[in-house]
Amino acid sequence: DLALCYRVNLWSRVASRVLWRLAEQAYRSEEDIYRAALTLPWPSWFDVGQTFRVKVSAIKCPLRSLDFVTLKIKDAICDKFRQAGGERPSIDTAAPDMRVYAFLTAERVSLYLDTSGEALFKRGYRKEQGEAPLRENLAAGILHLAGWQPGTPLLDPMCGSGTFLIEAAQMALNIAPGAERWFAFEHLKNFDADALDKIYREATAAELPKTPLPIYGSDVSSTVLMAARANLEAAGLEEVVTLKQINMLDVTPPAPTGVLVANPPYAIRIGEQEEMAQLYPKIGDLLKQKFGGWRACFLSAVMRLAKLIRLSVSRRIPLYNGALDCRLFVYDMVAGSNRKVKKEDNPDGAEPVSVTQ
């Protein structure tokens, strides 16, 4: 129902968009797709004065041009409005009120209305961003993949604009990620403002008091820390997260155990690659010497990171930061003096790193 749609948009940390499926059927030609779109009651969902855009994607589609398919769907929507009242809505490809999505397989077409509007990773709090910005929903997903839970110490020693820190703090305080933004469903004719108001009130009541949390961020750059602090202040979290200016290689663990996450520079240029090749072995030494009992997770587009860091990887998880192909490298740093770890203690199958303290 509509209330569920509102809740998912407000609360999902990892979704990019929430799409409402309007139709799904077989097709053979562009004309079949046109007719499928024309049968839908578009004027009952949004007003002729609102703008819209259409985006088409496909897998194994036999049709020659997705641009032509896009045009046919636009025509169908406009023709439906003309049939209803003689006027047609306008197209806005930059900032439309309504977004229509179509997805084609080899034999079937699905049509959707986007209920989110701007992508859900745009939480509304970001004021500054670093050189390698991390999408908020990807940061939240990495925290889940890392096994981090509220109450567990979290350290980001290359915190950049503070995305990991803010997402973790919001999770710990039960703050809805969409609380500071608007959604496309608010423009729909069937929008129920009372239902949304009730959901917002429930979300606000569920928030926990803002007290200091075991969430720590650091960076070697004072400028970067200023950006992180600005974002934390915009999110109302400046008092709950601890920031410190320090080189990563000088960082010490803030607790006996915890989770370390980092999104280090991706070293696109040759000189940067050489610099990273010198840095990563030092990071490996730091983890072995100081971070026994911690789980360390690095998101990187440098596929040879595991070789450079010289540690045994527990997991390699394929991820995309936007269009950039990356891996999340996970290292379980086992405290103790070279003790053997039973297989059942390490279901991922990799031999954990043994650390002498």
Side-chain angles (χ1 to χ4, degrees):
D1 57 16
L2 289 175
L4 177 61
C5 170
Y6 302 166
R7 284 194 180 91
V8 175
N9 273 287
L10 179 66
W11 280 103
S12 179
R13 292 197 175 275
V14 295
S16 295
R17 297 181 182 278
V18 180
L19 304 182
W20 172 22
R21 190 171 69 182
L22 309 173
E24 191 265 336
Q25 66 181 63
Y27 76 94
R28 287 189 176 183
S29 67
E30 292 88 351
E31 196 62 28
D32 292 336
I33 297 172
Y34 170 84
R35 285 194 294 268
L38 185 64
T39 59
L40 295 173
W42 302 100
S44 70
W45 293 324
F46 62 94
D47 191 79
V48 69
Q50 294 173 307
T51 59
F52 77 98
R53 65 168 290 185
V54 175
K55 184 174 181 179
V56 178
S57 57
I59 294 177
K60 298 181 179 180
C61 173
L63 303 180
R64 291 184 177 182
S65 171
L66 293 186
D67 288 338
F68 186 52
V69 173
T70 303
L71 180 61
K72 296 297 287 185
I73 296 173
K74 289 178 182 177
D75 288 346
I77 295 171
C78 291
D79 289 347
K80 191 70 174 187
F81 272 94
R82 285 196 187 97
Q83 291 175 7
E87 294 183 80
R88 53 153 286 177
S90 298
I91 304 296
D92 185 344
T93 58
D97 297 314
M98 292 289 124
R99 291 172 166 87
V100 177
Y101 285 82
F103 178 66
L104 284 70
T105 62
E107 298 178 345
R108 303 189 72 81
V109 57
S110 300
L111 292 166
Y112 304 86
L113 262 179
D114 174 17
T115 68
S116 301
E118 292 280 4
L120 291 178
F121 73 83
K122 297 182 180 181
R123 313 289 203 217
Y125 64 71
R126 187 188 289 274
K127 302 300 180 184
E128 306 285 345
Q129 65 182 33
E131 293 182 4
L134 186 66
R135 288 186 175 183
E136 287 79 351
N137 61 337
L138 176 58
I142 288 172
L143 291 173
H144 284 299
L145 291 169
W148 180 81
Q149 296 288 333
T152 302
L154 180 76
L155 170 64
D156 182 354
M158 296 180 171
C159 71
S161 57
T163 309
F164 279 127
L165 308 177
I166 295 173
E167 290 298 310
Q170 286 194 341
M171 290 166 67
L173 297 175
N174 204 36
I175 297 173
E180 299 298 324
R181 53 162 289 159
W182 68 272
F183 303 99
F185 62 68
E186 297 177 57
H187 293 317
L188 291 172
K189 285 186 174 181
N190 63 0
F191 171 55
D192 187 339
D194 290 338
L196 181 63
D197 182 63
K198 178 183 178 182
I199 291 169
Y200 268 117
R201 283 188 277 108
E202 290 172 349
T204 301
E207 292 181 7
L208 301 176
K210 292 180 180 177
T211 56
L213 300 169
I215 298 175
Y216 308 89
S218 61
D219 205 285
V220 69
S221 167
S222 60
T223 302
V224 166
L225 281 181
M226 287 176 60
R229 188 166 283 110
N231 288 332
L232 282 164
E233 290 176 355
L237 299 169
E238 67 274 18
E239 300 299 326
V240 305
V241 174
T242 301
L243 292 180
K244 183 178 182 180
Q245 183 178 356
I246 188 172
N247 188 303
M248 178 179 179
L249 299 179
D250 296 322
V251 166
T252 56
T257 62
V259 175
L260 182 153
V261 291
N263 177 35
Y266 291 162
I268 303 300
R269 293 182 289 271
I270 297 297
E272 293 173 338
Q273 292 177 8
E274 295 174 352
E275 184 178 343
M276 289 296 102
Q278 296 177 6
L279 173 63
Y280 282 126
K282 296 177 182 177
I283 292 176
D285 292 339
L286 171 73
L287 295 176
K288 286 188 291 185
Q289 293 167 8
K290 297 183 179 180
F291 282 84
W294 279 65
R295 170 170 288 178
C297 305
F298 296 91
L299 179 70
S300 181
V302 181
M303 299 304 171
R304 60 194 184 105
L305 179 145
K307 182 177 180 181
L308 292 172
I309 211 167
R310 298 173 185 171
L311 297 176
S312 179
V313 181
S314 300
R315 296 177 70 191
R316 286 184 181 86
I317 304 172
L319 294 172
Y320 280 87
N321 187 8
L324 194 59
D325 187 14
C326 298
R327 295 293 181 273
L328 181 66
F329 297 91
V330 180
Y331 301 90
D332 289 310
M333 310 301 297
V334 179
S337 181
N338 296 323
R339 70 177 179 87
K340 295 293 183 180
V341 179
K342 295 180 181 179
K343 186 175 183 180
E344 57 266 28
D345 292 336
N346 184 32
D348 294 318
E351 180 182 352
V353 179
S354 184
V355 181
T356 301
Q357 292 185 314

